Amino acid sequence: MVLSELAARLNCAEYKNWVKAGHCLLLLRGCLQGFVAREVLAFHRGLLAAAPSLGPRAACRSGSRCNPRARQFQPQCQVCAEWKREILKHHTNRNGDVHWGNCRPGRWPVDAWEVAKAFMPRGLADKTSPKECDAVALLSLINSCDHFTVDRKKVTEVIKCRNEIMHSSEMKVSSLWLQDFQVKIQNFLNEFRNIPEIVATYTRIEQLLTSDWAVHIPVEDQRDGCEYETGVYLSESQVNEIEMELLKEKLQEIYLQAQEQDVLPEEVKKKEKKKILNRLQVVKEFLRSNKDLRNGLREDLQKLDSLHLQQQKPDSKEPGAQKPEGKA
Ligand SMILES: [Zn+2]
């Protein structure tokens, strides 16, 4: 463990704020997972009760032809068409982006989670449960599905903050920003006062955000790590884990953005490409001086580099897109 690198990073108050904010998101994700899993099952049961024709005995009749891509889904069979209508009925963003590409429609009659993914952001096709999702995926579901009765403004405020954390190019946020985030995240958690695990997280987040979070460089055999004023203890490897998760999420976000720009008009694409490359450059620069983090992120960086190379080829197509060969 290269503790001096960690200590140097956390010496920067604004970076420390960024990690703290990210830790809040991880705590938030943790307390939402169980709740969301239960609610998704209830939602699915409710749908089947109201429309038994959608149930397990209904099966997609056209196999691979009922295959959504990104935001496009043209059902080729009766069952999938009915499911699509039903999902849209409960979608609060039914006139905007629905990421059908997340779902395997053939599973809708039997798999509640495949239905839930129609209410979530792009890039979740391979996620098979809430346990595999980050906070923003779960927040988006709560925001977009009318099964959840909640003040949606409070949800979108937290989503906005999350995006600011992930898009912060320098990976820094101010203390003022962090205070504001605390208010917003607590406003959101207050919407769930009858869910014990969410109430418990409220307290943990409060402790985290109001504590000083100093790293002590170990003197010989003294125990090292971070200590909260409140006595909550995080070891340096736990802090490291949090940083790693955040950076992974950030790189994944950059990856998805890079992947999406292929469908943009040429002019916008150029601008976007530059923005994304800059963002990636900053992360790489940061990792150059932080070997302890870089080693764990090698795969993620390689994935981005090979996407970049692929997109530089003059007639590159969106990876995996099954477009018919246009040129005769
Ligand atoms: Zn079908």
Side-chain angles (χ1 to χ4, degrees), residues 259-312:
Q259 213 178 25
E260 278 211 325
Q261 55 165 9
D262 256 0
V263 294
L264 296 172
E266 210 50 48
E267 243 169 86
V268 191
K269 198 200 286 196
K270 251 192 207 156
K271 250 200 227 157
E272 278 301 304
K273 229 176 208 171
K274 220 172 144 197
K275 247 197 262 170
I276 293 168
L277 269 182
N278 283 343
R279 222 173 268 167
L280 181 58
Q281 233 26 65
V282 177
V283 182
K284 280 185 171 172
E285 199 56 50
F286 170 79
L287 291 177
R288 240 190 291 281
S289 41
N290 291 283
K291 266 190 259 119
D292 57 330
L293 294 172
R294 190 173 59 211
N295 292 337
L297 295 166
R298 203 155 271 156
E299 245 174 70
D300 307 73
L301 287 168
Q302 267 164 8
K303 201 171 104 180
L304 267 161
D305 284 338
S306 57
L307 175 67
H308 178 59
L309 279 178
Q310 192 183 3
Q311 287 182 334
Q312 276 183 326

Side-chain angles (χ1 to χ4, degrees), residues 7 18 27-28 40 50 52 63 108 126 134 142 158 171 174 182 186 193 198 205 225 228 237-238 264 311:
W18 186 74
L27 291 173
L28 181 64
V40 161
W108 282 340
D126 58 342
D134 55 25
I142 292 171
V158 177
M171 292 160 284
S174 71
Q182 179 173 1
Q186 291 185 333
R193 260 178 247 157
I198 297 184
I205 285 180
Y228 293 121
S237 69
Q238 281 171 312
L264 296 172
Q311 287 182 334

Side-chain angles (χ1 to χ4, degrees), residues 33 113 117 120 126-133 138:
Q33 282 167 336
W113 184 244
K117 284 196 286 186
M120 295 164 86
D126 58 342
K127 307 282 185 247
T128 55
S129 80
K131 285 245 175 291
E132 296 173 15
C133 290
L138 304 176

Side-chain angles (χ1 to χ4, degrees), residues 317 323-328:
K317 293 257 151 64
K323 283 177 196 154
E325 287 310 313
K327 291 168 218 152

